[in-house]
Amino acid sequence: MLRNKSFVKRTRKGNIVRTVKEHYLRDDIICGTSSCVHPVCNASTQPKPLSPSPRDSIKWKRHYVVPDTNALVNHIDIFERPIINNVVVLSTVLDELRGLSMPTYTRVRAILRDEERAWFVFSNEHHRETFIERNADESPNDRNDRAIRTAVVWLTKHLKPLGITPVMVTNDEDNLRKASDVAACRMDELLGVYSEHPELPDMMGSVNITDRKSDDVWTGYDEHLSPVQVQAGLKGGLLVQGTLQIAPYNYLEGSVYATLPDGTEQRVLVVGRNDMNRAVQGDKVAVQIWPKAQWRNAPSTALVDEDEDKVPSVTEEPKKDDEGSAKRVRRADGSATKADKLDDPAALDTKLGEPTGHVVGIIRRNWRSYCAFLDPNFTTRNARASNAPTTVSVLAMDRRIPKIKIRTRQADSLAG
């Protein structure tokens, strides 16, 4: 079956060109199951890597895993584990991955080439019964989500004689809500099937299910600008870019060497957790410079340790302990003093100083591994007999990295 789509466009030279795209739809695409009794699948000589006896669970019985794009992007480390097999990757998901995250796309392709993993690509975009057109008022992302649900519906009917259920795995609340006619779950629900591997839930990190249309989600930080907004701001001179460098004596004080709108290259201060906006040492960031009235000099004092969940800003008065003494702080030159000297105007110079700004977007993350240890304040006296996860704090050996919170089921083992 042939579907044509034609449109006109203007070339760089001003010529009007009519473009015709042909999309071929077929009815001989197999499901990938080696024991399928459908005439098309049974007569095909193509490789069929999916096992007729996949993992069994109480909720879905024997099932295949059908992840959407968000699930693969957020949890590719989990999907790379050899225990996750019998996975159906839709061609819609592969196309989205290629445009969204090329590294993730390459890793998925590497898994598909491994015959022992039993991963299969189902070409739903070229199947006559699973291909769908985009509606007039529908965004590309919503159309792709609908295509994924349509493919899972077809697979459910196709695999029903075999007693196998395809389970769609998604991190999108809206997509999960609309998948009421198929088996669908969140990533944490899927990992519950692999109870013999308690390390898998720890690998999820802090990625939670989100609703793209929800406005009542508060993250504690200002939302980052989109890549398009960042590029427009850089071209218009509203933003500057550079690599964030954290002071070795104070992880709440950073700077970015950037070219200002007037053409001069100068250091831009980024002070405080809110202004850093989730950026860490080595990240390439986009910074919006504050008005000159809010420019300041680098603080001369810094907190030595962070014992509370909320770190006070450098302009706030430090809390006092039970004996009435203030917390000790460290000067930029390494000498210690009492935090009550923060009241001295000479300690914190808030006069007009260096350009100061805040991070509005992260252009490129400086992904790296960190050597860290559990917070000494954590004790094992709260150990539980259950396997429920607990939240603990870890301290990186690199003092430029702030305290990191992780959720783990192995806190007692890590503390020991």
Side-chain angles (χ1 to χ4, degrees):
M1 183 178 178
L2 176 64
R3 303 179 68 92
N4 292 331
K5 180 180 180 181
S6 62
F7 56 92
V8 295
K9 66 178 182 179
R10 185 186 297 273
T11 64
R12 293 182 178 180
K13 295 182 178 180
N15 300 327
I16 304 298
V17 178
R18 182 181 182 85
T19 303
V20 178
K21 290 187 175 181
E22 297 179 345
H23 192 91
Y24 292 89
L25 300 180
R26 305 170 56 177
D27 55 6
D28 60 347
I29 297 178
I30 64 175
C31 65
T33 305
S34 57
S35 62
C36 184
V37 296
H38 192 275
V40 173
C41 300
N42 192 26
S44 176
T45 59
Q46 300 178 29
K48 304 171 185 176
L50 297 178
S51 172
S53 302
R55 177 174 285 267
D56 199 346
S57 67
I58 299 178
K59 184 175 183 180
W60 304 300
K61 305 301 180 183
R62 294 186 301 160
H63 62 275
Y64 292 151
V65 177
V66 186
D68 73 346
T69 308
N70 290 332
L72 287 175
V73 170
N74 294 330
H75 308 297
I76 184 60
D77 292 335
I78 298 179
F79 282 103
E80 283 183 326
R81 300 297 295 269
I83 191 63
I84 309 294
N85 49 32
N86 288 303
V87 176
V88 179
V89 181
L90 304 179
S91 59
T92 301
V93 174
L94 279 181
D95 293 339
E96 275 194 302
L97 279 179
R98 186 187 293 111
L100 185 62
S101 175
M102 184 56 70
T104 304
Y105 173 80
T106 304
R107 294 165 72 177
V108 171
R109 277 297 185 186
I111 301 175
L112 290 168
R113 289 192 294 267
D114 188 353
E115 297 180 357
E116 297 181 357
R117 295 296 304 275
W119 281 44
F120 176 73
V121 177
F122 178 66
S123 300
N124 64 302
E125 291 292 349
H126 296 279
H127 198 290
R128 187 171 61 180
E129 298 185 29
T130 58
F131 173 77
I132 60 172
E133 293 280 2
R134 177 184 170 187
N135 297 330
D137 57 345
E138 192 174 34
S139 67
N141 189 76
D142 290 340
R143 182 266 169 199
N144 291 336
D145 288 345
R146 187 163 59 91
I148 294 173
R149 296 192 299 271
T150 302
V152 175
V153 170
W154 184 88
L155 287 172
T156 301
K157 297 178 180 178
H158 184 84
L159 298 174
K160 188 175 182 180
L162 302 178
I164 300 176
T165 303
V167 179
M168 185 182 73
V169 181
T170 179
N171 284 339
D172 192 319
E173 176 67 24
D174 186 57
N175 195 19
L176 186 64
R177 183 168 52 247
K178 293 179 180 178
S180 57
D181 52 346
V182 297
C185 69
R186 300 187 298 267
M187 190 65 187
D188 56 345
E189 294 182 61
L190 176 67
L191 297 183
V193 178
Y194 304 88
S195 57
E196 71 275 17
H197 294 274
E199 74 277 4
L200 293 181
D202 292 343
M203 298 175 64
M204 288 187 60
S206 59
V207 179
N208 297 321
I209 189 166
T210 57
D211 188 349
R212 292 194 304 268
K213 298 182 180 179
S214 178
D215 296 330
D216 57 354
V217 178
W218 183 78
T219 61
Y221 294 93
D222 294 336
E223 183 178 357
H224 287 156
L225 300 181
S226 66
V228 176
Q229 292 173 318
V230 170
Q231 293 301 324
L234 293 174
K235 291 181 180 179
L238 302 177
L239 305 176
V240 297
Q241 64 177 340
T243 303
L244 180 64
Q245 300 293 337
I246 305 298
Y249 53 84
N250 183 7
Y251 66 86
L252 294 178
E253 175 189 340
S255 61
V256 174
Y257 283 91
T259 302
L260 301 184
D262 58 3
T264 60
E265 185 173 351
Q266 193 172 353
R267 185 178 75 160
V268 179
L269 290 178
V270 183
V271 181
R273 176 178 295 182
N274 290 333
D275 284 347
M276 289 185 184
N277 201 6
R278 292 160 287 179
V280 296
Q281 165 69 23
D283 288 350
K284 186 177 181 180
V285 297
V287 178
Q288 181 181 13
I289 300 179
W290 293 119
K292 288 188 176 181
Q294 301 182 32
W295 287 9
R296 57 177 304 168
N297 291 329
S300 59
T301 56
L303 291 174
V304 175
D305 294 313
E306 178 189 1
D307 294 330
E308 279 75 27
D309 291 337
K310 181 179 179 181
V311 178
S313 64
V314 292
T315 58
E316 294 177 352
E317 293 184 3
K319 296 180 180 179
K320 295 186 177 182
D321 54 21
D322 297 337
E323 298 178 359
S325 60
K327 286 188 177 181
R328 298 190 64 81
V329 296
R330 179 177 298 167
R331 290 189 179 274
D333 58 3
S335 60
T337 182
K338 286 288 184 178
D340 55 359
K341 292 185 179 180
L342 289 173
D343 296 333
D344 187 358
L348 284 178
D349 188 0
T350 58
K351 298 183 299 181
L352 179 62
E354 300 181 65
T356 309
H358 68 292
V359 174
V360 296
I362 299 178
I363 301 174
R364 185 176 63 250
R365 281 285 190 186
N366 180 32
W367 296 110
R368 51 165 292 191
S369 300
Y370 294 105
C371 177
F373 57 92
L374 229 59
D375 187 351
N377 294 329
F378 173 79
T379 60
T380 58
R381 63 176 180 271
N382 295 325
R384 296 174 298 274
S386 63
N387 198 29
T390 183
T391 301
V392 297
S393 298
V394 295
L395 304 175
M397 297 299 294
D398 189 347
R399 294 186 63 88
R400 296 173 298 179
I401 305 302
K403 183 183 293 186
I404 305 170
K405 280 188 176 182
I406 62 172
R407 287 184 63 81
T408 178
R409 301 171 189 266
Q410 309 173 61
D412 296 337
S413 300
L414 295 176

